[in-house]
Amino acid sequence: MAEYIPSPRDWVREQVELYESSGGTDGTTLRETGLPVVIVTNRGNKTGAIRKTPLMRVKDGDNYVLVGSQGGAPRNPVWVYNLRADSGVEIRDETDVYSMRVREVEDDPERARLWDIAVAAFSPYEEYQNKTTRKIPVFLAEPV
Ligand code: F42
């Protein structure tokens, strides 16, 4: 078993702890917004360690859309590089846990469709894209 390395950010690490220790019944929303969050578990591309990242829940049928917004920061979140290197993830959505495979969606019409779904689920994504010159990465997670 690989080692689990928690996020260095307190609020992120605490959300993961609460979400996972409750079996997905507590800590499942983003603070004051009340909007649902999923936990993505994957491998670090340098350490090989297990990483856990809360992201907004954006669903497209049975699939999940993962948006590397990081609040519109100038750089991609590091988990983007992990997913580019290793596409195998586990997604916890409240009490359900799925083995999934992700692919980055770069094709314009498909990305545009998924981006609209993401903004409908979490409107700040639009503001985050306007804040940064990087094109925010979008991944689609599909059941294995
Ligand atoms: N972030 C988003 O980008 N999108 C969202 O929709 C989103 C929603 C959300 C909801 C709730 C919540 O609590 C957090 C939310 N976040 C969202 C923030 C998200 O959880 C991440 O914290 C954020 O995207 C930053 O991701 P990050 O991967 O850059 O995390 C940093 C803080 C981090 O953990 N860095 C580690 C470190 O030690 O500095 C590195 C972790 C890592 O994966 N290392 C790799 C390894 O090999 O282990 C090496 C990676 C490399 O290539 O260098």
Side-chain angles (χ1 to χ4, degrees):
M1 267 296 277
E3 180 194 4
Y4 164 51
I5 307 182
S7 172
R9 292 189 187 161
D10 288 350
W11 67 282
V12 172
R13 185 177 60 245
E14 284 160 15
Q15 173 142 42
V16 171
E17 274 166 18
L18 188 58
Y19 204 130
E20 298 245 306
S21 68
S22 67
T25 58
D26 207 356
T28 61
T29 60
L30 177 67
R31 300 187 283 190
E32 62 280 1
T33 69
L35 290 169
V37 168
V38 296
I39 304 287
V40 179
T41 301
N42 63 279
R43 292 295 179 118
N45 73 90
K46 292 177 184 160
T47 59
I50 292 171
R51 299 286 188 177
K52 290 180 183 280
T53 305
L55 298 176
M56 301 317 294
R57 179 172 74 199
V58 180
K59 287 209 78 175
D60 177 36
D62 288 339
N63 301 334
Y64 290 82
V65 184
L66 311 180
V67 180
S69 54
Q70 187 158 214
R75 287 166 181 268
N76 288 330
V78 166
W79 60 261
V80 163
Y81 304 103
N82 295 334
L83 297 195
R84 284 177 181 164
D86 182 348
S87 61
V89 301
E90 194 180 85
I91 293 187
R92 174 180 278 280
D93 182 355
E94 299 186 346
T95 55
D96 297 318
V97 180
Y98 305 101
S99 283
M100 304 197 102
R101 193 156 292 289
V102 299
R103 60 182 174 87
E104 190 165 4
V105 179
E106 289 169 293
D107 169 62
D108 279 338
E110 187 183 18
R111 187 184 177 285
R113 185 182 73 80
L114 297 175
W115 180 258
D116 288 347
I117 292 171
V119 170
F122 187 62
S123 60
Y125 283 145
E126 190 153 46
E127 172 197 323
Y128 297 160
Q129 181 60 87
N130 292 336
K131 257 173 75 175
T132 181
T133 53
R134 70 185 166 95
K135 189 171 182 186
I136 289 179
V138 172
F139 292 84
L140 190 66
E142 297 163 307
V144 173

